[in-house]
Amino acid sequence: MKLTMDKIVNLCKTRGFVFPGSDVYGGFANTWDFGPIGVELKNNIKRAWWKRFVQEADNSFGVDAAILMNPRVWDASGHTASFSDPKMDCKNCKTRHRADNIIENYKGCDVVPDKMTNAEMEKYIEEHDIKCPNCGKRDWTPIRTFNLMFETSRGTVDGNKDVVYLRPETAQGEYVNFLNVQRTARAKVPFGIAQIGKSFRNEITPGNFLFRTVEFEQMEHQLFCKAENAFAHYDEYKKLAWDFVVELGLKPEHLRYHDHDKLAHYAKAACDIQYLFPIGWQELNGIHHRSDWDLSRHEEFSGKSMQYLDPITNERYTPNVVEYSIGADRLTLALMCEAYDEEVLDGGDTRVVMHLNPAIAPYKVAVLPLQKNMSEKAHEVLKKLNKYFMCTYDEAGSIGKRYRRQDEIGTPFCVTIDFDTLEDNTVTIRDRDSMEQIRLPIDKLVEYISDKVMF
Ligand code: ATP
């Protein structure tokens, strides 16, 4: 089976994972709405992340900071000055491109575009006759630097409005709360602050379904530590980040580390974990050793000390930060790609099945009465189970078709109520992956399923 992004997009639309944003208006480019199945999947992924990086982690605390922040935050973080990409339009086919990507993707590329000025990039494109990848012509506009932050304004009186930004990353909400969290949680360095929330970027080249959108969710964890221990923590987080996605279901052979050669001036080390998406190897998450840059900058711009006082040694210092950041939507896409399969069955039929880790499956159980006149008993069973698990109920069509529908959305267990159930209170429980069925007393179902859907 060759997996394409189209197959995933189609399944998502038809089965209720993800719909095009503003669908009845013909959509709104690169926005997507999670449907009933997709919202369960993404929520389960976010819960699993929170469990691993807050609940089970030593010394880790959550926050949920405001999306609109004091604009000075973005001066301090460097986003107002330099969170930008070089943009270029093709005059012939009217498509928009990033000049650095156009150069990078050029076959004979022998330069590092990130290190070039706009004028140098324009010259290189002209000298090497680099054409538009869409129409094959070379008819470019000049390069313009384009800030990726979405601007909006605050204030009720026209002409008296302040520009504010929709946050382009969640990290700053963790940095500015460093001392609030440290004091109230009586946290000792090293400790972490985690957050899950929406970020917004006016991307020049969004696309590839959920991979790159203008509005997305990030799951970020900042570890505040002593400078001398930061490299050890950086290595530790590289491993934790890898183990997390493997445990969720990504195959190690579809993952690789990509260490950065070119670092931001403040960074001491940076690495992505890449996943082999149907569009090729692409970044899934980033791990960065950011030195003490973030806290120092907020100290400088706010005029407030961001230093930590060690209660044992009385030493006062600005901690270093090791950042781990992963997109919830991008990870959801990767997990869907990994789980998707088209299996040829013994009789020659093909079934589409999502082999999702049961812990993140949208529904854990489908309750299926064999015949409609068993629906009362089936609802009794459903009521028992949906106190513990997200369940679905289906009595329409043949049992085989109903199993297929559940396979397509990754439901790990189907519980069937049949004639024997009415006699002896036992049901069959079918496993999605092996398709094997066993018989169990209704009273044993919760225990049997709980065990298998834990993360
Ligand atoms: P990329 O190189 O793909 O643009 P980045 O290096 O700018 O990503 P970061 O700023 O480090 O990304 O953001 C951390 C994570 O947030 C990324 O690894 C990715 O999972 C996610 N992410 C970033 N931008 C987007 C986007 N436009 N759409 C969806 N997810 C995103």
Side-chain angles (χ1 to χ4, degrees):
M1 181 215 47
K2 179 162 172 30
L3 181 64
T4 61
M5 200 65 104
D6 281 349
K7 284 189 181 178
I8 298 290
V9 175
N10 281 336
L11 180 86
C12 282
K13 278 194 213 164
T14 53
R15 305 302 284 124
F17 282 93
V18 182
F19 308 120
S22 316
D23 205 8
V24 293
Y25 288 92
F28 187 54
N30 301 300
T31 65
W32 301 96
D33 295 344
F34 282 79
I37 309 296
V39 72
E40 296 300 330
L41 175 62
K42 189 158 80 150
N43 281 343
N44 290 339
I45 292 168
K46 289 191 286 183
R47 264 186 227 119
W49 187 88
W50 197 262
K51 185 161 187 244
R52 186 58 29 95
F53 290 97
V54 181
Q55 185 178 329
E56 294 174 352
D58 291 337
N59 251 345
S60 183
F61 308 93
V63 292
D64 182 11
I67 287 175
L68 300 177
M69 301 184 81
N70 187 316
R72 292 283 286 159
V73 167
W74 307 112
D75 296 335
S77 67
H79 282 80
T80 14
S82 60
F83 191 56
S84 53
D85 283 333
K87 177 178 80 166
M88 212 171 55
D89 290 339
C90 171
K91 288 195 245 170
N92 182 55
C93 69
K94 313 278 182 255
T95 52
R96 179 155 288 175
H97 302 268
R98 275 175 56 173
D100 52 340
N101 287 351
I102 293 276
I103 294 177
E104 250 161 25
N105 296 336
Y106 167 61
K107 253 196 177 153
C109 173
D110 52 358
V111 285
V112 181
D114 284 3
K115 292 189 174 159
M116 296 163 84
T117 62
N118 287 356
E120 285 167 346
M121 283 195 278
E122 276 172 7
K123 191 159 169 248
Y124 190 87
I125 288 170
E126 196 183 324
E127 281 175 4
H128 294 80
D129 195 23
I130 304 178
K131 301 197 168 74
C132 169
N134 188 51
C135 70
K137 294 249 158 58
R138 185 167 64 78
D139 193 4
W140 297 113
T141 60
I143 297 172
R144 274 175 300 157
T145 302
F146 181 75
N147 194 296
L148 304 184
M149 282 202 292
F150 274 101
E151 267 182 36
T152 184
S153 54
R154 175 173 162 146
T156 49
V157 185
D158 275 349
N160 194 15
K161 289 183 176 169
D162 293 326
V163 169
V164 289
Y165 301 99
L166 300 186
R167 67 180 176 200
E169 61 174 30
T170 55
Q172 301 304 323
E174 290 131 81
Y175 301 143
V176 300
N177 280 300
F178 163 65
L179 283 180
N180 284 339
V181 172
Q182 190 272 319
R183 277 193 216 109
T184 51
R186 287 178 292 124
K188 292 198 182 72
V189 166
F191 73 93
I193 303 184
Q195 176 167 216
I196 299 178
K198 286 249 171 169
S199 293
F200 304 81
R201 293 182 190 177
N202 209 350
E203 298 273 9
I204 293 171
T205 52
N208 289 314
F209 193 34
L210 301 176
F211 180 79
R212 191 180 300 286
T213 49
V214 292
E215 171 183 344
F216 54 97
E217 273 185 285
Q218 289 185 306
M219 308 191 282
E220 298 200 302
H221 184 275
Q222 317 291 330
L223 187 86
F224 300 92
C225 60
K226 284 192 115 168
E228 59 264 40
N229 301 329
F231 274 107
H233 287 301
Y234 171 76
D235 288 340
E236 178 197 351
Y237 272 82
K238 275 175 76 166
K239 181 164 178 348
L240 287 173
W242 178 283
D243 290 349
F244 172 69
V245 292
V246 168
E247 202 181 325
L248 272 193
L250 300 184
K251 293 201 180 78
E253 60 268 33
H254 296 157
L255 292 166
R256 69 183 187 194
Y257 287 113
H258 171 245
D259 292 308
H260 292 202
D261 298 328
K262 186 178 163 270
L263 297 175
H265 64 91
Y266 52 83
K268 296 271 172 67
C271 160
D272 301 336
I273 293 178
Q274 296 184 333
Y275 175 69
L276 187 56
F277 286 92
I279 49 170
W281 287 102
Q282 297 287 344
E283 172 177 336
L284 182 65
N285 68 233
I287 302 114
H288 301 110
H289 173 341
R290 301 179 58 91
S291 71
D292 65 358
W293 196 76
D294 306 285
L295 294 182
S296 303
R297 290 282 285 192
H298 285 304
E299 177 164 317
E300 184 188 333
F301 280 68
S302 69
K304 303 259 164 62
S305 167
M306 296 295 272
Q307 291 200 327
Y308 169 74
L309 174 64
D310 188 311
I312 295 165
T313 62
N314 267 337
E315 190 190 352
R316 214 175 254 288
Y317 61 92
T318 309
N320 274 219
V321 167
V322 173
E323 175 184 58
Y324 157 47
S325 172
I326 180 162
D329 312 83
R330 204 176 275 189
L331 177 58
T332 304
L333 176 62
L335 288 161
M336 283 195 290
C337 293
E338 189 74 64
Y340 183 95
D341 199 8
E342 291 166 9
E343 276 178 17
V344 181
L345 304 173
D346 285 348
D349 278 1
T350 303
R351 72 162 182 158
V352 171
V353 53
M354 291 288 256
H355 293 290
L356 292 166
N357 181 330
I360 58 166
Y363 295 123
K364 308 299 183 226
V365 192
V367 177
L368 316 172
L370 195 59
Q371 293 187 351
K372 282 204 172 131
N373 61 6
M374 295 163 185
S375 83
E376 199 182 320
K377 188 73 185 172
H379 274 99
E380 229 178 77
V381 174
L382 177 68
K383 246 183 136 184
K384 272 191 203 296
L385 295 179
N386 67 15
K387 283 203 180 350
Y388 298 88
F389 317 110
M390 195 73 201
C391 299
T392 182
Y393 178 87
D394 189 2
E395 57 179 31
S398 74
I399 193 76
K401 279 209 178 106
R402 283 184 269 166
Y403 285 152
R404 293 289 169 277
R405 282 203 283 268
Q406 297 307 322
D407 291 343
E408 281 189 28
I409 57 172
T411 309
F413 301 108
C414 286
V415 166
T416 304
I417 284 64
D418 57 20
F419 294 103
D420 290 343
T421 314
L422 307 178
E423 302 289 318
D424 64 3
N425 271 323
T426 63
V427 290
T428 60
I429 181 158
R430 170 193 181 262
D431 181 276
R432 173 197 67 200
D433 298 335
S434 66
M435 293 187 283
E436 270 165 20
Q437 300 186 19
I438 57 167
R439 217 160 170 99
L440 275 183
I442 291 171
D443 286 349
K444 293 269 180 272
L445 283 175
V446 170
E447 188 189 331
Y448 179 84
I449 297 164
S450 296
D451 235 29
K452 299 178 171 57
V453 299
M454 257 312 257
F455 181 73

